[in-house]
């Protein structure tokens, strides 16, 4: 298959953007409505593609991908007028008489590079923000989820304005060609290794980036809690999110030694209730995306430092790329599983002497995308919020903060930069332009040469906000 002419696509989109078409409110609305139609009219096709790529359960495909994309679309349509409206701001005596405002404007032609784990949502959620903000967009879906990539390319080709919104499918050569172009913003979802490549390419043109990365998201479990509820919520966030292949899935648990028996009992009991005695046969667990990732996860499990640490699960089926929910206890800090983001169904438990020590353990590592705490202790909760730096925090649950459009979603440090969702998506793809309006009145002679001692007194009084000094300077006292 011949490679698409990326340069020509960008040139065409630049022409469309220059015409002012994408800046119009009506155009933005028409494209958001078209995206909504895609989700509403092609649900089965999207679910089938996700099944093919990840054997994602229909429930997860609908709730986590289709429904969330529709919600984002509807919110943008409802709020767009308000988001686009210039924001009036106060002026000062220095610029009197004047008015000032902050005017959001689109950035131009933007590139969205998406991930394979939530290939529908993570492709279109940023695109919603880019369109709402009035940009022309090129979307590069992940080739690791080929069925979903194909469906997205086909549907956007049918429904969207092709002069302003394009999908470029492909692998490394296409991504490389795209990164060689000049963009007005690049939005990348994926891992830190590729994130660095994206940022290096962006630096050549001083292109701003949003990097939605991952990291080892910890779960701290205190003793004074409802274990059954806590465990169900941990399972939902870990194995109920694409079998652990999610950027905000719990990566490891930190708890006290005394807590372990209760925690483990509850986890084993609930896991069996959710996924049966043979989880490899469960239709409610996604498979590992491909053989490479299956081998990567197998390597973490076969590391001789953790082989004897598996306390639950561990079954694997290489032919069907299935790995059962697996819990490991007391893994050494220098084991492979604690050195990289797991991104799969393995969950290590680290024990500490007292629950407060968990914070030191987390802070000694890179900043995660999410951090979770289960506790009834308000003091501990407060300390956790004050002392743990992560993209987002959630107390007494996992992953749900992602669903709240009033919260920005994004990382910090190694877990990424920039954020989106709701209004934050609009802002991620906008420039806030400062505008000051003045009339021809209100001339102050003291601004201009020659700079006399009298003018100096006047300006000093003005700039220091000294009204009495101002009157004295005006009258030359």
């Amino acid at each position: 298959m011949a490679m698409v002419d990326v340069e020509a696509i960008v040139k065409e989109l630049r022409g469309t953007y220059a015409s002012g078409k994408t800046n119009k409110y009506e155009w933005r609305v028409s494209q958001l409505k078209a995206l909504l139609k895609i989700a509403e009219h092609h649900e089965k096709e999207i679910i089938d593609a996700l099944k093919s790529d990840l054997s994602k359960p229909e429930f997860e495909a609908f709730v986590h991908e289709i429904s969330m994309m529709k919600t984002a679309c509807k919110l943008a349509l409802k709020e767009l007028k308000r988001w686009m409206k210039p924001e009036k701001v106060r002026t000062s005596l220095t610029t009197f008489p004047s008015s000032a405002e902050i005017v959001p404007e689109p950035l131009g032609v933007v590139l969205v590079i998406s991930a394979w784990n939530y290939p529908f949502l993570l492709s279109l959620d940023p695109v919603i923000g880019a369109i709402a903000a009035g940009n022309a967009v090129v979307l590069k879906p992940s080739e690791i989820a080929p069925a979903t990539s194909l469906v997205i390319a086909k549907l956007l080709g049918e429904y969207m304005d092709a002069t302003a919104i394009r999908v470029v499918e492909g692998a490394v050569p296409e991504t490389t060609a795209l990164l060689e172009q000049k963009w007005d913003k690049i939005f990348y979802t994926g891992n830190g290794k590729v994130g660095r490549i994206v940022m290096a390419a962006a630096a050549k043109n001083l292109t701003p980036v949003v990097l939605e990365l991952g990291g080892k998201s910890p779960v701290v479990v205190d003793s004074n809690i409802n274990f059954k509820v806590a465990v169900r919520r941990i399972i939902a966030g870990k194995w109920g999110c694409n079998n652990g292949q999610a950027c905000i899935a719990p990566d490891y648990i930190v708890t006290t030694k005394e807590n372990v028996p209760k925690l483990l009992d509850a986890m084993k009991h609930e896991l069996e209730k959710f996924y049966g005695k043979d989880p490899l046969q469960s239709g409610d667990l996604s498979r590992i995306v491909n053989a490479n990732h299956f081998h990567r996860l197998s390597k973490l499990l076969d590391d001789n430092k953790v082989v004897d640490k598996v306390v639950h699960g561990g079954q694997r089926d290489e032919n069907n790329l299935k790995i059962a929910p697996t819990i490991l206890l007391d893994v050494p800090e220098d084991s492979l599983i604690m050195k990289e983001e797991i991104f799969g169904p393995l969950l290590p438990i680290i024990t500490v002497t007292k629950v407060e020590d968990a914070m030191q353990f987390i802070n000694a590592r890179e900043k995660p995308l999410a951090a979770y705490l289960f506790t009834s202790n308000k003091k501990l909760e407060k300390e956790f919020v004050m002392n743990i730096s992560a993209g987002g925090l959630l107390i007494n649950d996992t992953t749900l903060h992602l669903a709240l459009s009033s919260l920005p979603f994004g990382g910090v440090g190694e877990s990424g930069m920039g954020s989106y969702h709701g209004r934050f998506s609009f802002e991620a793809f906008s420039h806030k332009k400062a505008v000051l309006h003045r009339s021809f009145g209100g001339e102050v002679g003291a601004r201009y040469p020659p700079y006399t001692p009298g003018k100096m007194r006047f300006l000093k009084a003005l700039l220091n906000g000294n009204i009495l000094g101002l009157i004295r300077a005006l009258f030359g006292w």
Side-chain angles (χ1 to χ4, degrees), residues 9-10 12-14 16-17 21-22 27-35 38 108-110 112 123-124 126-132 134-140 152-168 183:
I9 291 175
V10 177
E12 185 191 351
L13 264 54
R14 286 239 169 259
T16 305
Y17 180 74
K21 181 187 194 176
T22 65
W27 180 87
R28 304 184 198 194
V29 166
S30 72
Q31 297 309 297
L32 289 169
K33 283 183 172 165
L35 277 177
I38 288 175
V109 181
V110 300
V112 174
S123 293
L124 298 181
V127 171
I128 291 166
I131 291 170
N135 299 276
V137 194
V138 171
L139 166 64
K140 163 66 185 64
I152 288 171
K154 180 176 91 74
L155 294 174
L156 265 63
E158 285 171 25
Y159 281 79
M160 311 300 288
D161 175 358
T163 67
I165 299 159
R166 294 291 281 275
V167 178
V168 172
W183 303 95

Side-chain angles (χ1 to χ4, degrees), residues 112 210 218 297 307 333 353 364 390 426 430 437 442:
V112 174
V210 171
L297 288 161
V307 163
E333 284 185 47
T353 314
F426 177 84
S430 301
H437 303 269

